[in-house]
Amino acid sequence: MTQTTGEIRVPTRRSAELMLLVFAIGIVFCAEAIVEATRDGRVNSHLLTDSVVPLAAGVIAHLVIRRVAPYADPLLLPIVVLLNGLGLVMIHRLDLGLKQQSDDGTGPRFTGAAAPTQIVWTALGLLLFLLIIWLIRDHRVLSRYAYTLALAGMFFLILPSVLPARFSEVNGARIWIRVAGFSIQPGEFAKILLTIFAAAYLVTKRDVLSLAGRRFLGIDLPRGRDFAPLLVVWLICIGVLVRGHDLGSSLMFFGLFIVLLYVATERVSWVIVGVLLFAGGAYLAYQLFDNVQTRVTVWLHVFDYPDGIGLQVSQSLFGLGTGGLFGTGLGGGHPEIVPLPATDFIISSFGEELGLFGLVALLLVYVLFIARGFAVALAVRDTFGKLLATGLSFSIGLQLFVVVAGVTRLLPETGLTTPFLSYGGSSLLANYVLLALLLRISDAARRPPAPGKHVAAEPAHVAVPA
Amino acid sequence: MNRPIRRVAIAVGVLMVALLLNLNFVQVVKSDAYRNNQNNKRVILNEYANPRGSIIVQGTPIAESVPTKDELKYLRKYPNGPTYADLTGWYSLVYDKNGLEEAEDGLLSGRDSRLLGSRITDLLTGRTPKGGSISLTLNKAAQQAAFKGLGGRRGAVVALDPRTGALLAAASSPSYDPAVLSSHNLDSIQAAYKKLSRDTDQPLLPRAFQASYPPGSVMKVIVAAAALRAGRKPTTVIPAPTVYDLPDGGTMRNFNGESCGNGKTTTLIAALTISCNTAFGHLGVDVGQPAVEDEANLFGMDGQDFAVPLTVSGSTMGQIGNGSQLAQSSIGQFNVQMTPLQAAMIAAAVENDGTLMQPYVVQQELAPDLSVLKTTETHVLNQVLPSDLDKELQQMMESVVKNGTGTKAQIEGETVGGKTGTADNSDAQGRPLPPHAWFTGYAADPEHPIAVAVVLENAGVRGDESAGGEAAAPLARDVMKAYLDDTSGR
């Protein structure tokens, strides 16, 4: 599938992607086999479902990419399949542990395995992925719908806050929509929608925003009226925080927006202003909200509350410490002791059973994904693509940082999911959308210009028909 | 626009480095602290996840792991707990391990490297990994008789097979039930431990192995051995004054100021038979400190702790500074300290024609499938006397039981030798306490010989030397008889 353009042959790297995919599935297969050997003493049918589903998802996605995005980055898909597969393995392993705990009467009642649900979500995620990469043949189309997407994003974001608590509250955070047994965290989608909007918006406004206003303490401050969008986003984030008690998402949105603003305008002053605003907001939140104070108290004095508010984080640390350098081996530890081991604390589950070496390897896989994302941002030619790829890559990086820092007590715990790894439909679906967008942009970045057609070095943000 | 993108990428890289550094802190620097934090139950859960091996006596477990319904998968049970508590020790959530549970932990827990093969097989075949077991040398009948005979009095009984050194019984009293320290209930464990450890009768002390007492006249066997080695015969006439003026000041008398024989001299055999203090004080001084100390060393009293594999406190003659102290030490007073096991070793060596065997309690180490990993080989410790001289010592000890202080140890149809002891002692403030009653002896059964030592703390009456013969000898006889009846099928 190599196209030639004049003398230049650009390799598509699809075969590399397939090889890496097989390699990723091999790792997932071994991991699941180890879990079953350790827990049940023999290999059982889960080995098939937990490794065939990611394999099928990966191969189908691969075949479609061959057709509609042949020049896409070859690493992104195998990395996601690896993470999703390992997540499935760990969720299945935690099912076994939680069931055991329930049978022993030492944990909450086991209400049903999570792994099969996650498999369904994986399949749905794949469908959504295929849909997007098939339909959106040029990412620049998205900027045409920037405001529509923004509205949708805001709607998603605010919806749980205005719904009655019984539809939206889980564990004290009102960030859910619970309908007919399904729980969706719309904030995950809002994150992507608002990133698209921010990228599109900044492409048009970047010139205005980079105009210098007053100079203060050696910093060029932006003009006062240009503060407006920043203030609006800030207010929305604070609003979400107030209504939803969702520290993590609020931090995510704000960080994302500041970074995009900085990349668009190349002005450090926005970052400084943003950090100051965030610090002010955080201080305000700490003063006003009990749950923010609780999280900070737990962060500072986690071992003073081993059974109460500090239970989760202290058990997470105990798990990580018990794992030590090499870990207890998959299935050999007790990650189920940590409350919410498959969602917010799946990183400590991996840390306990794979040890420091395993967890660092896992984080490096994420670093690879993020690095490829930034490479796409650097390579793609249009401004919108650059901003969008930066935003998407940065959001993965920031989310990973906030999650891992939270469970390892580097920062207060905020309750975010680990992308691709954690149990949870909305997170998985949203991140498959993110993958589709990133692959689409990477395809644009590496695709050689069609022969005979002149392509501007930096095309306008206006959409090009797909 | 690429420059700010690079900077953002670098910033993310810095965040990732921060994560990795912090992970090193959590998983390496603080690893042990977190692993051993009292609120972290992971280590305990793992420890209790697999069944521990059993401790077996003649085919019956005295410690075994049984499956439970709670979070800790296996509970340690001790059928006949108090009878064997000084051997098994405990296996506790809070107070670690003790006794054989500790000494043989590698095998019992399954961590022993010899079990690596079976661990891998278990993994592949899906069996629950299990620890190995140990079978002990004990004889149930002897152990029961010993523990029952003690009847809660402070004291201990140790029985050995003189030819092999195998422990046949080791009972300590008062005892406790290891099950109360090995349960899964933290509160009840702590309450029980507090109560047991504060009890002034020290039920947690494995007296048979770790309590040291002045041996009193039991020491005379060693002095007699030294004398035989130095050329005395049982019939040799030795000085036995009613009052012995000690070489470096002080005097020594017999109990109640009695005289031995004619009040001036007696024979060596007669002196032992009636346990004459002045004769043995004088004899020790005559034979000399090096000869007495060397002999004591040969019998095992070298002051060194040893393992059977339970830790046994070292027995010693103590520092002897002059002739008066040597005389006192020769009748087992002054600084002489002896464990019940050491006393049994003395009788065992004499019975075994002067050959002292290394005591041991683990007969076999068994893999989880009960195949034998290792059978303990017997091991000669010392030749305490040439066998011809030892025969003379046997004759003397048998005289003690036949017509001396130890007649209560007689068993119909058996050749029994022994030595009584009534040991003066005092409390921590130096106030005299009632004497300890000792007996060490043997039944020289041609098929199943047995050596037994008995100590009963403060069981005598001050100034009365009959405690050893009256209180300790009958218990020794009961233990020997129980063993002989059991082995001969009577």
Side-chain angles (χ1 to χ4, degrees), chain A residues 61-296:
Chain A
H62 166 77
L63 291 175
V64 172
I65 290 170
R66 260 182 197 275
R67 197 178 150 75
V68 300
Y71 292 95
D73 188 284
L75 257 78
L76 294 174
L77 178 70
I79 288 175
V80 166
V81 168
L82 174 65
L83 292 172
N84 190 354
L86 286 177
L88 263 179
V89 170
M90 182 52 82
I91 291 163
H92 171 224
R93 182 257 168 277
L94 288 166
D95 279 343
L96 299 175
L98 289 167
K99 175 149 191 332
Q100 180 84 60
Q101 232 186 14
S102 166
D103 292 349
D104 295 345
T106 53
R109 208 167 61 83
F110 186 66
T111 49
T117 319
Q118 183 78 346
I119 287 176
V120 172
W121 284 119
T122 303
L124 290 176
L126 175 71
L127 276 180
L128 197 56
F129 169 86
L130 296 177
L131 205 67
I132 286 175
I133 204 151
W134 190 277
L135 288 181
I136 302 172
R137 294 299 174 95
D138 188 325
H139 60 274
R140 287 169 292 185
V141 168
L142 290 169
S143 64
R144 247 197 295 179
Y145 304 105
Y147 284 90
T148 318
L149 294 174
L151 273 179
M154 301 283 270
F155 177 73
F156 275 148
L157 198 57
I158 293 165
L159 189 59
S161 310
V162 297
L163 280 176
R166 69 196 161 95
F167 289 120
S168 63
E169 186 164 316
V170 175
N171 299 325
R174 292 180 67 177
I175 52 176
W176 299 82
I177 302 173
R178 296 196 298 170
V179 185
F182 278 93
S183 306
I184 295 172
Q185 227 175 326
E188 297 275 1
F189 296 100
K191 181 181 73 183
I192 292 174
L193 294 174
L194 292 175
T195 307
I196 298 171
F197 165 73
Y201 172 83
L202 289 169
V203 169
T204 55
K205 293 284 160 60
R206 54 189 291 234
D207 297 334
V208 190
L209 289 170
S210 46
L211 283 178
R214 224 179 296 158
R215 207 177 156 78
F216 180 69
L217 290 176
I219 303 166
D220 292 320
L221 289 178
R223 294 186 308 179
R225 65 180 114 154
D226 299 331
F227 269 126
L230 186 61
L231 278 175
V232 168
V233 174
W234 183 73
L235 283 172
I236 291 169
C237 290
I238 296 294
V240 168
L241 184 68
V242 173
R243 289 289 299 176
H245 305 298
D246 187 4
L247 214 56
S249 300
S250 152
L251 172 64
M252 282 290 304
F253 284 121
F254 202 66
L256 200 51
F257 193 77
I258 296 293
V259 161
L260 288 181
L261 203 53
Y262 165 66
V263 172
T265 62
E266 304 197 22
R267 289 170 60 86
V268 182
S269 53
W270 282 114
V271 178
I272 294 165
V273 170
V275 167
L276 289 177
L277 272 176
F278 177 79
Y283 179 75
L284 215 64
Y286 179 78
Q287 294 298 326
L288 291 177
F289 308 127
D290 285 349
N291 82 321
V292 178
Q293 285 175 10
T294 304
R295 303 226 172 184
V296 172

Side-chain angles (χ1 to χ4, degrees), chain B residues 9 18 70 73 85 100 124 161 195 201 220 313 356 410 457:
Chain B
D70 65 55
K73 297 282 155 244
L100 285 170
L124 296 178
D161 181 336
K195 186 159 168 280
D201 283 350
K220 289 171 186 166
S313 303
L356 175 63
Q410 289 169 4
E457 293 179 20

Side-chain angles (χ1 to χ4, degrees), chain A residues 104 320-322 383 386 408, chain B residues 1-2 22 27 31 40 73:
Chain A
D104 295 345
L320 290 167
T322 308
T383 315
K386 277 183 184 300
T408 59
Chain B
M1 190 178 274
N2 280 357
N22 187 51
Q27 296 202 271
S31 175
N40 184 5
K73 297 282 155 244

Side-chain angles (χ1 to χ4, degrees), chain A residues 41 100 104 106 262 266 303 306 315 317-322 324 334 351-352 356 378 383 386 394 397 408, chain B residues 1-2 4-5 7-8 12 15-16 19 22-24 27 31 34-35 37 39-40 42 45-46 71 73 123 126:
Chain A
Q100 180 84 60
D104 295 345
T106 53
Y262 165 66
E266 304 197 22
F303 297 117
Q315 287 299 335
L317 292 175
F318 293 157
L320 290 167
T322 308
H334 294 279
E352 178 174 350
L356 178 70
L378 289 172
T383 315
K386 277 183 184 300
F394 180 75
T408 59
Chain B
M1 190 178 274
N2 280 357
I5 293 178
R7 283 188 180 162
V8 170
V12 172
L15 293 182
M16 293 301 140
L19 287 184
N22 187 51
L23 274 178
N24 272 282
Q27 296 202 271
S31 175
Y34 288 161
R35 186 180 292 134
N37 188 294
N39 292 307
N40 184 5
R42 288 172 177 78
L45 283 177
N46 280 342
E71 171 181 37
K73 297 282 155 244
L123 186 67

Side-chain angles (χ1 to χ4, degrees), chain B residues 414-436:
Chain B
E414 295 286 348
T415 309
V416 177
K419 183 69 198 85
T420 57
T422 303
D424 287 334
N425 63 99
S426 49
D427 64 15
Q429 284 75 43
R431 286 184 298 253
L433 293 172
H436 299 319

Side-chain angles (χ1 to χ4, degrees), chain B residues 84 88-89 95 107 116 120 142 210 215 229 253 279 330 366 372 388 397 413 472 477:
Chain B
Y84 295 95
T88 58
Y95 301 101
L107 185 72
L116 187 64
I120 292 171
Q210 287 175 15
R229 191 188 283 277
R253 293 163 197 274
S330 297
L366 307 167
V372 178
D388 54 328
M397 284 180 73
R477 179 201 59 211

